[in-house]
Amino acid sequence: MPNNDIIIIGAGAAGMMAAITAAKRGRKVVLLEKMDQAGRKLRLTGKGRCNLTNTASIKDFLAHVGSDSRFMRNSFSMFFNQELMQFFEDHGVPLVVERGLRVFPKSGKSLDIFLALINMLEHHPNVEIRKNSAARAVVVDNGAVAGVRLQNGELIRGSHVLIATGGLSYPSTGSTGAGYGIAAELGHTVVPQVPSLVPLVCQEEIPQDLVGFALKNVSLIVTEASGKKVCEHFGEMTFTDNGIAGPIVLSTSRIVSRTLHAGQQLQARIDLKPAIEREKLDKRLIADLNANGNRIFNDALRLWLPAEIIPFALKAMHIEYYKRLNQINGAERKRLLDFLKGMPLTLIGTRDYPEAIITQGGVSLKEVNPKTMESKLVSGLFFAGEVLDLDADTGGYNLQLAFSTGYAAGMAM
């Protein structure tokens, strides 16, 4: 049986980029994909629009990367956002930069990104794509890679193997975490996984009228039971049947998911009026109460809150709905003020992997060479993409991590 130069397990963003990069260097590549199609998750990203990268500077970009962001400095120095954008534009995919420095294909279709990659692979003489080919294990001989054993028992020999199997998010696309088990069998430390960039679950019952309701330009503040602030994000969010979702919630989840999955609860507050300082808002409330003294509290709440939030607000504030505004005392006004500056929620968990954009955890970065993505434990073994303990905020950051680590591995193998 011939010995291949490179075997890549997983035809996602990282695996495809690594295969293209290595093939251009003249290396013979076998690209294994367990599903009947490559790049399934890539076609779903950005709600089918594919938020490819972010044009932030390296310094700003790394501020959005979790785990040990320093790990990415070497691969970013080789292949960062400008190189990635040029790569796709050179292959016929015009790009646009949108709000938040996020980069998308001009067509708004993630399919264009996938087709550019798969066309390069299918037409390159150095690449063999094998679909419906799930890997069972990496075969090692005397501390060095010797090949890959498939689930059907077939042995594919090769001197270099890249594990780019992704994480656990979107399991319907084939991301089942198989790479973690293969890495562990080879002696690698695998950091426990939790869903990330995922909706959060709250202890409070969310009224049906509130489900699907969106809040814009609010602040979400999360604190520990002691009152110590964990994080704060400003922007848009929505309510779900058992919690909260939306951009600022996804960003929050990356910071709090591991704590919640450890069984700890966290307190969340939604500042519904973040542009107004507390003291100024209190003065405005006093003026409104005085000017509308005969109005019933339940009806008058529309002065300060959307109608959808009012039932939740009444329950949280413990103020009788039938009171007239001129009957509201100082303590009750403070409770109203507290709600407007911090609508309270108790975070008790996250939604599961089918709703998570990424997986947090994975192969320990301490055991991987950041310049080459090669294992420090097994010669000829490489890792790229989400299988690593590497994750970032939403906004194009995670796909750049996949492409950059894939490129680095493709250059080194």
Side-chain angles (χ1 to χ4, degrees), residues 136-202:
R136 181 199 302 170
V138 173
V139 179
V140 175
D141 186 14
N142 292 322
V145 161
V148 173
R149 179 78 65 184
L150 301 184
Q151 290 288 359
N152 64 9
E154 180 185 353
L155 174 63
I156 304 176
R157 296 193 180 276
S159 57
H160 296 73
V161 171
L162 170 65
I163 298 178
T165 48
L168 290 162
S169 55
Y170 294 120
S172 62
T173 65
S175 296
T176 58
Y180 302 135
I182 294 173
E185 288 177 2
L186 297 171
H188 272 275
T189 302
V190 179
V191 178
Q193 300 87 53
V194 294
S196 188
L197 301 187
V198 64
L200 297 173
V201 177
C202 298

Side-chain angles (χ1 to χ4, degrees), residues 41 44-47 167-173 175 194-202 211 238-247 249-251 253-254 257 261 349-360 386 394:
K41 185 176 178 181
L44 293 176
T45 59
K47 296 181 179 178
L168 290 162
S169 55
Y170 294 120
S172 62
T173 65
S175 296
V194 294
S196 188
L197 301 187
V198 64
L200 297 173
V201 177
C202 298
V211 175
T238 58
F239 293 92
T240 69
D241 58 350
N242 67 351
I244 49 177
V249 175
L250 298 185
S251 296
S253 75
R254 190 177 68 79
S257 182
H261 280 267
T350 74
R351 300 290 277 250
D352 213 344
Y353 288 108
E355 296 180 60
I357 295 175
I358 59 166
T359 306
Q360 199 171 95
E386 199 175 344
T394 183

Side-chain angles (χ1 to χ4, degrees), residues 131-371:
K131 300 171 186 175
N132 298 305
S133 299
R136 181 199 302 170
V138 173
V139 179
V140 175
D141 186 14
N142 292 322
V145 161
V148 173
R149 179 78 65 184
L150 301 184
Q151 290 288 359
N152 64 9
E154 180 185 353
L155 174 63
I156 304 176
R157 296 193 180 276
S159 57
H160 296 73
V161 171
L162 170 65
I163 298 178
T165 48
L168 290 162
S169 55
Y170 294 120
S172 62
T173 65
S175 296
T176 58
Y180 302 135
I182 294 173
E185 288 177 2
L186 297 171
H188 272 275
T189 302
V190 179
V191 178
Q193 300 87 53
V194 294
S196 188
L197 301 187
V198 64
L200 297 173
V201 177
C202 298
Q203 186 177 70
E204 292 80 5
E205 182 179 349
I206 305 298
Q208 191 59 42
D209 288 347
L210 202 51
V211 175
F213 180 69
L215 290 171
K216 297 183 178 180
N217 302 318
V218 296
S219 287
L220 178 63
I221 306 107
V222 177
T223 58
E224 297 175 352
S226 64
K228 180 182 178 182
K229 183 189 286 189
V230 175
C231 62
E232 179 174 355
H233 291 95
F234 173 84
E236 184 176 342
M237 59 169 285
T238 58
F239 293 92
T240 69
D241 58 350
N242 67 351
I244 49 177
I248 61 175
V249 175
L250 298 185
S251 296
T252 298
S253 75
R254 190 177 68 79
I255 299 170
V256 305
S257 182
R258 196 167 292 283
T259 299
L260 295 173
H261 280 267
Q264 298 180 47
Q265 294 185 0
L266 293 169
Q267 301 304 310
R269 292 181 292 112
I270 305 169
D271 187 343
L272 299 166
K273 309 287 183 182
I276 309 175
E277 293 182 1
R278 184 181 176 89
E279 185 176 335
K280 186 175 181 180
L281 181 59
D282 192 28
K283 290 180 180 178
R284 182 179 297 182
L285 287 179
I286 293 172
D288 287 342
L289 292 170
N290 289 334
N292 298 274
N294 287 324
R295 291 184 66 178
I296 301 299
F297 183 64
N298 179 56
D299 172 58
L301 276 173
R302 289 296 302 274
L303 292 169
W304 312 292
L305 289 169
E308 291 84 355
I309 293 181
I310 289 175
F312 189 97
L314 286 168
K315 189 174 181 180
M317 290 186 293
H318 304 291
I319 300 175
E320 299 295 348
Y321 72 91
Y322 52 79
K323 271 196 168 188
R324 296 190 183 277
L325 294 193
N326 56 20
Q327 296 175 314
I328 299 296
N329 60 40
E332 290 170 329
R333 189 187 80 244
K334 180 181 180 300
R335 293 205 292 274
L336 171 59
L337 179 63
D338 287 344
F339 186 88
L340 295 175
K341 294 298 289 181
M343 177 178 173
L345 292 169
T346 305
L347 304 179
I348 59 172
T350 74
R351 300 290 277 250
D352 213 344
Y353 288 108
E355 296 180 60
I357 295 175
I358 59 166
T359 306
Q360 199 171 95
V363 176
S364 172
L365 302 182
K366 296 177 182 178
E367 299 167 358
V368 178
N369 186 328
K371 295 180 180 179

Side-chain angles (χ1 to χ4, degrees), residues 114-126:
F114 165 73
L115 289 176
L117 292 168
I118 201 68
N119 286 336
M120 282 182 261
L121 291 166
E122 289 181 341
H123 293 94
H124 203 293
N126 290 348

